Amino acid sequence: MFLFIGNSRIQYAVTGGHEGPIFSLCTLKDGSVLSGGGKDRKIKQWDRNYSSTSETAIPEATGPVRVLCQGKGDDIYVGTTRNTILHGDIGGDFVPIVQAHTDELWGMAIHPTQPLFLTCGHDKTIIMWDSESHRPLWTKTIEDSCQSAHFHPSGEVFAIGTTTGRWIAFDTQSKDLVTVHTDGNEQHDIVRYSPDGNYIAIGSHDNYIYVYAVTENGRKYSKVGKCSGHSSYVTHLDWSADSQCLQSNSGDYEILFWTASTCKQITSSSSMKDTEWATFTCTLGYPVTGIWPEGSDGTDINSVARSNNSNILATGDDFGKVKLFKYPSNRPKSASNAFSGHSSHVTSVDFFKDDSKLISTGGKDMSCIQWKIEPF
């Protein structure tokens, strides 16, 4: 650290204060100075004579210190290089109050019975969030980058689709591994449990949908087969309300239908026109015809979610917008309300079970935003 007089004259130098660079300095109200080190993750306090009086280190998982700030009284806030804000005091422990992902965020799932949701991203981190306290309940790091997520209807287990061809199921409460399977070697863009919890479907970048039978409340899996017919990667899929059929979209704008128990394609699409779908997350289909803006190339909308009361349709697009439409939205250029908040493409949107809130996730901004749903 250097103390300057005027613009260029160094009056005093403190050497060896930190191991590696010092990223932040903060002058406290009592005249002492805090310094934050990048490499050593330490926060040191210096008196008016620039002698070190105390120090503390923040947890390795939160990353090095990036910025320091004094709050009320002796409260100190620390911003880190891994999108975390910690709160504490010098000489004591620092606790994360804001925690986030550090690489592109794609996977998000709403808990079926509790006010919880999880996110996962390319930073290989899974975070379980409490929507009421707006705080993370736990985090878990795995070996692979994450692409997609979904809860079993029981809420006891959730599945993660990765970018390496693996998909993994974990216990929601203990975070323990339940099962791991490998199907192909490309990313799994979508994982979806059936409404009755007896199946799971995994839509992959290798053009296939892999279907497994599920028993014991999501703790035992046996492969049924794979749905073959798409000529491009699978982007979205939905289960029918009776858990017997699937509809799927692909990168070349196909809409295909399948029988889950046999993995056979239903070639007569007209026979599916009256099918009741448990969810509607597909970006292509008659009920979502009107969500596409004029001049769209078919990839501008990344995520769609129908509210559980089937009144509202939410979309997340490449322009950082979350839009709300009335469902069904089957007229070209249907009216919508657009909301800004993300500084990057919106990768996922979904409603809580009571439709009171909606969660959206951003890709490059690595953030999740909680929205309150009001009638319109």
Side-chain angles (χ1 to χ4, degrees):
M1 293 191 301
F2 298 97
L3 176 64
F4 287 84
I5 294 180
N7 293 326
S8 59
R9 183 182 173 189
I10 299 176
Q11 182 188 33
Y12 190 76
V14 179
T15 61
H18 287 271
E19 180 185 350
I22 297 174
F23 282 168
S24 182
L25 294 172
C26 177
T27 302
L28 303 183
K29 297 168 186 176
D30 62 4
S32 61
V33 175
L34 293 182
S35 63
K39 187 175 181 180
D40 60 11
R41 306 188 320 279
K42 289 183 179 179
I43 302 169
K44 289 190 175 183
Q45 185 172 18
W46 308 82
D47 61 21
R48 293 176 181 269
N49 297 319
Y50 301 100
S51 297
S52 178
T53 57
S54 61
E55 69 175 57
T56 188
I58 62 173
E60 183 177 1
T62 62
V65 177
R66 193 58 169 171
V67 64
L68 297 166
C69 177
Q70 185 175 22
K72 293 182 179 180
D74 295 329
D75 291 348
I76 302 296
Y77 294 90
V78 184
T80 76
T81 59
R82 293 184 181 175
N83 294 345
T84 301
I85 299 176
L86 301 100
H87 168 258
D89 55 74
I90 300 301
D93 293 329
F94 280 83
V95 179
I97 58 173
V98 175
Q99 197 167 5
H101 291 274
T102 59
D103 203 348
E104 195 158 347
L105 176 58
W106 280 92
M108 187 265 288
I110 304 289
H111 195 283
T113 59
Q114 300 180 40
L116 309 176
F117 67 97
L118 69 80
T119 56
C120 58
H122 291 179
D123 59 357
K124 307 178 182 180
T125 301
I126 305 167
I127 304 179
M128 182 71 75
W129 302 88
D130 185 335
S131 67
E132 295 179 344
S133 66
H134 307 148
R135 300 274 182 93
L137 296 180
W138 54 254
T139 63
K140 183 180 182 67
T141 301
I142 63 175
E143 295 180 359
D144 303 326
S145 296
C146 307
Q147 186 70 22
S148 54
H150 198 235
F151 278 99
H152 186 270
S154 68
E156 297 178 5
V157 174
F158 63 88
I160 299 292
T162 74
T163 61
T164 63
R166 297 203 308 168
W167 63 271
I168 311 166
F170 294 96
D171 184 276
T172 302
Q173 187 170 7
S174 68
K175 301 178 286 183
D176 291 338
L177 177 69
V178 173
T179 190
V180 57
H181 293 268
T182 300
D183 290 293
N185 56 9
E186 298 193 47
Q187 71 183 33
H188 295 322
D189 292 297
I190 184 75
V191 292
R192 279 283 185 273
Y193 285 100
S194 61
D196 62 8
N198 292 333
Y199 292 101
I200 186 173
I202 301 98
S204 179
H205 228 64
D206 63 6
N207 305 357
Y208 297 118
I209 300 171
Y210 300 92
V211 180
Y212 283 74
V214 182
T215 55
E216 299 179 13
N217 270 350
R219 300 184 183 279
K220 188 175 180 179
Y221 298 79
S222 58
K223 194 169 187 176
V224 174
K226 66 180 180 181
C227 303
S228 175
H230 277 296
S231 53
S232 184
Y233 56 92
V234 181
T235 57
H236 305 84
L237 63 84
D238 292 293
W239 283 95
S240 60
D242 61 6
S243 300
Q244 298 303 304
C245 300
L246 288 161
Q247 68 170 349
S248 56
N249 294 165
S250 61
D252 58 354
Y253 318 124
E254 288 180 319
I255 307 172
L256 298 184
F257 302 94
W258 314 87
T259 300
S261 60
T262 61
C263 295
K264 299 294 185 182
Q265 183 180 345
I266 301 172
T267 56
S268 174
S269 57
S270 60
S271 66
M272 303 298 294
K273 63 184 178 66
D274 295 324
T275 301
E276 180 184 355
W277 298 103
T279 59
F280 211 102
T281 64
C282 286
T283 58
L284 303 174
Y286 178 73
V288 296
T289 304
I291 67 175
W292 292 95
E294 188 174 359
S296 174
D297 67 356
T299 63
D300 294 331
I301 297 176
N302 301 310
S303 180
V304 168
R306 185 190 65 192
S307 62
N308 294 283
N309 60 16
S310 298
N311 291 334
I312 303 174
L313 193 71
T315 67
D317 61 34
D318 278 347
F319 312 107
K321 295 290 192 296
V322 174
K323 293 183 179 180
L324 295 183
F325 297 81
K326 288 186 177 179
Y327 182 86
S329 178
N330 51 18
R331 294 183 179 180
K333 296 183 287 186
S334 295
S336 65
N337 290 336
F339 303 91
S340 300
H342 290 283
S343 62
S344 177
H345 53 292
V346 180
T347 55
S348 182
V349 292
D350 203 1
F351 292 88
F352 276 86
K353 292 305 176 183
D354 61 0
D355 293 327
S356 63
K357 298 185 291 288
L358 178 139
I359 301 295
S360 62
T361 59
K364 291 294 187 181
D365 67 13
M366 299 167 281
S367 67
C368 48
I369 298 178
Q370 180 173 309
W371 308 82
K372 180 181 178 182
I373 304 298
E374 297 180 348
F376 73 99

